[in-house]
Amino acid sequence: PYPPATAPQPHPPAAQQPQWGQAPTWNQPPQWSQPPQSGQAPQWSQPQPWEQTGSPAPEYGSAPGQAPPAWSGPPPEWGTSPETPKRSLAAKVWPKVAGGLSVIVAVCAFGLVKAGLGGFLASDDGKHKAYPTASHPDGIAATSTATAAAGGPFAGTPAANYPEGTAGITLPKAVASGGFTAKQVRDALADVKKALVAGRLDSQMLVKRNPDPFLKLFAPDARSDMRKDFSTDDFSVYATQFAPGAKPAKETPRVKGRISYRTTKVEGIPALEVTTNFVWVYPFQVSSGDGIVVVHDELVWQVLHPSKVQASLRGLWLSKGQSYASNIDCDQYNKGLIAPGKPEFGIGPDTEDPDSMFDPDRSLDISTNC
């Protein structure tokens, strides 16, 4: 039986299957004794093979006696290729708490960023559909304001005009709050910026893979446990190291995002909580393909009031974090290292629009394909 008002098309022999990108060309038109009427199957002039044996008619798209095509799901439309390139994506979280600050374990449990709707990506029909974006945390905030000239490996990407390196890290205005003086707030924000630069932009971390300058910015009691992260891949949530053999381009990475802060209390101790959310776009030298790697992180830093704690607890603490990376080599990223992704192909459009990965407001809760 055929669907109502639909006449089946004859099937080409196996040697004459249509090529992708071309409409099928049938060898012979159908031979029926009478043209089919709407809603009726055609009456063939010669019995068909399945009618002689009493077996069921083959499914549309396969010749009699042959297995159906080995695609999954409905076949692609003629004139389109079944293979669409996609970027590799992976996400990580950092829920750990340094052992020396066990008094604040209760407030450092990791929590996902609240997602809403606000950004857009292109759908299959050319229209735009919403993608999840993260809500901004409470507090005093500042976003990247500088711009850079488009060109080089960033041309044609959303990062084309993003600020270069440290110019993309804008600190909010420091005001006295919650027992912290304006100077204490200013100093704490400056320390956070130093840590961002040391973790994501400094060649000691990126190329030499040396975490010491970064770790020295933290409270003494925080350093030993954080150092252990660098023996695993956990550090990649908050720091970047290039994989051996990855060749960074001469251009400075592009950076865009925001910093916000508020005062709170940790186990009754006044604390300054700083939330940073940045997209880091790294250019690499590649022989062909896309040499741009995108890393997006949201990190929560804490500074306890220096007059309320002992010296070993004074300084930066990293409370929690979440990040994803796009267009990366999955094998290297599973080691915590960054390198441009190898070409990947899949049937049908990718579920994650590459341009949305450049948006600092995009939710960090993504579907990975690494």
Side-chain angles (χ1 to χ4, degrees), residues 27 106 137 158 180-181 217 239 249 259 266 296 303 305 317 335 339:
N27 288 343
F180 287 82
T181 66
L217 298 170
I259 297 178
V266 177
H296 182 193
V303 177
H305 198 290
W317 290 84
K335 302 174 185 177

Side-chain angles (χ1 to χ4, degrees), residues 19-22 71 74-85 345-350:
Q19 302 297 314
W20 296 120
Q22 299 179 351
W71 50 54
E77 295 183 1
W78 300 116
T80 63
S81 167
E83 294 187 341
T84 303
F345 294 86
I347 293 179
D350 195 3

